[in-house]
Amino acid sequence: MSDREPSPVHDMTMTVFPGYLAGPGPDALADFLDGRPQWTVRRPDADSTVALHEDATARIVLDNSPFAARRWTISSYHRPDGPVDWTAVLCPQAPAEVALAVARRLDHALAQPTEEERGFKLWGDWDETPDADELIRAEADRAGWTSTGCTISTARHASSDGTAGLEIRGYHERPATTDADLTYTLWAGPAGRQDPSWSAQFTRFAPPNILLAALHTLTRPAPYPRRASQIPMAHRAHLHTHPHARPRPVPTPTVR
C-alpha cells in the first residue's frame, strides 16, 4: 500500500489480517450495548462513555479524549460497594475488538443465574482448572509462541514473527498489599521495534477466561474491517488486506 494517506474517494473499507495490527478502529461500544438492556450508559463529558451493569458489579469506560493514556478500562467488583476485583486497561492504539472480547466474556458470565455459574464462566472448575499463568502459557505454546526472556521474576513470550506477545510478572514482583498491581500484559506491533504499538494490561486477579478471551485475539487472529485511513502506516507491511465484501442486493422479482 502507498505511504500516503488515501483520499476520501479511495478510503474504502478493507478486511485486514491479522486483525490485531489493524489499528484501534471505531469504538464499537454502542454495537456491544445494543440489545443488552442490562447495561446503563451515561456520558460524563463529550469524550467519555461509561457503561454500568445492572447489578453494579461491572463497569466499562471508554475515553476517546485525544490526550487519554487509556482508551478502555473494564473493571469488575465482587459486590457493588466493594473494592475492584480486577481491571483491564487498553491503550488508545489497541483494537476495539480486543476490549470487546473481554466485555463479551464478562457479560456472558454475569448473565448466568447463580453465583456458582458466574464463577465457573470466569474461573472454570476450581478443582481441575490450572491457574491463570499456566493457562495463558499453555495457549502461547499451542500457538507456537516462544520464550523471549524469562527470568526469576518475569516471563515473556512472543509470536514467531515478533508481532505479538505477552508478559507475566512473577509473584514476588506483585506487592502483597497491592491487589491492583498490573500483572499480565498483552502487546502487538511491528517486529523489531523497541516499544509495541499497543498494549492491554490486566491486574493480578483477572480471571483466566477473561485473560484467554483477550489472548485469543492474538493467538487465534481474525480479520477486522477497517477503512484504509484507519490502518496504521507502520503496520501495513505486516498485513494482508483486500476490499471488504459488500452484501449483494437481492433482485426484485419481476411481476408479469
Side-chain angles (χ1 to χ4, degrees), residues 98-110:
V98 182
L100 295 183
V102 173
R104 284 192 295 268
R105 185 64 61 93
L106 177 58
D107 179 69
H108 180 61
L110 294 176

Side-chain angles (χ1 to χ4, degrees), residues 10-250:
H10 297 98
D11 193 17
M12 66 176 66
T13 299
M14 313 289 289
T15 297
V16 182
F17 183 86
Y20 61 75
L21 293 178
D27 61 57
L29 182 57
D31 293 338
F32 167 77
L33 296 172
D34 186 31
R36 288 183 167 93
Q38 63 272 31
W39 293 87
T40 301
V41 179
R42 63 183 179 87
R43 292 178 173 82
D45 54 59
D47 294 317
S48 302
T49 302
V50 178
L52 183 67
H53 194 266
E54 61 186 359
D55 65 6
T57 60
R59 184 176 65 171
I60 303 171
V61 178
L62 173 64
D63 187 348
N64 279 322
S65 165
F67 306 106
R70 55 179 66 179
R71 188 186 188 198
W72 298 87
T73 304
I74 302 174
S75 303
S76 179
Y77 309 79
H78 185 65
R79 61 180 187 276
D81 59 345
V84 175
D85 276 349
W86 57 267
T87 299
V89 177
L90 290 84
C91 77
Q93 291 74 37
E97 289 85 351
V98 182
L100 295 183
V102 173
R104 284 192 295 268
R105 185 64 61 93
L106 177 58
D107 179 69
H108 180 61
L110 294 176
Q112 305 309 307
T114 67
E115 188 69 25
E116 181 180 6
E117 289 175 286
R118 286 185 176 192
F120 180 79
K121 292 296 182 181
L122 293 174
W123 298 92
D125 190 322
W126 281 102
D127 296 327
E128 298 181 8
T129 303
D131 66 19
D133 289 19
E134 282 188 67
L135 282 173
I136 62 176
R137 286 175 196 257
E139 174 61 19
D141 289 343
R142 184 209 62 78
W145 288 17
T146 56
S147 172
T148 59
C150 294
T151 68
I152 193 172
S153 62
T154 304
R156 297 182 180 90
H157 301 265
S159 61
S160 58
D161 63 1
T163 61
L166 68 89
E167 178 178 291
I168 309 170
R169 292 181 60 185
Y171 277 104
H172 57 286
E173 288 291 316
R174 309 174 194 176
T177 57
T178 309
D179 292 344
D181 182 38
L182 292 171
T183 298
Y184 305 96
T185 299
L186 307 180
W187 59 264
R193 290 179 52 167
Q194 184 175 1
D195 298 314
S197 296
W198 65 264
S199 65
Q201 297 178 299
F202 299 79
T203 53
R204 173 191 277 187
F205 296 119
N209 288 336
I210 290 291
L211 294 167
L212 286 174
L215 181 57
H216 285 165
T217 65
L218 300 179
T219 57
R220 308 178 187 193
Y224 297 157
R226 292 290 188 272
R227 294 197 314 274
S229 61
Q230 295 175 321
I231 303 171
M233 195 69 65
H235 295 186
R236 296 183 179 188
H238 300 271
L239 297 171
H240 299 281
T241 63
H242 59 83
H244 189 62
R246 297 179 180 179
R248 294 183 178 181
V250 178

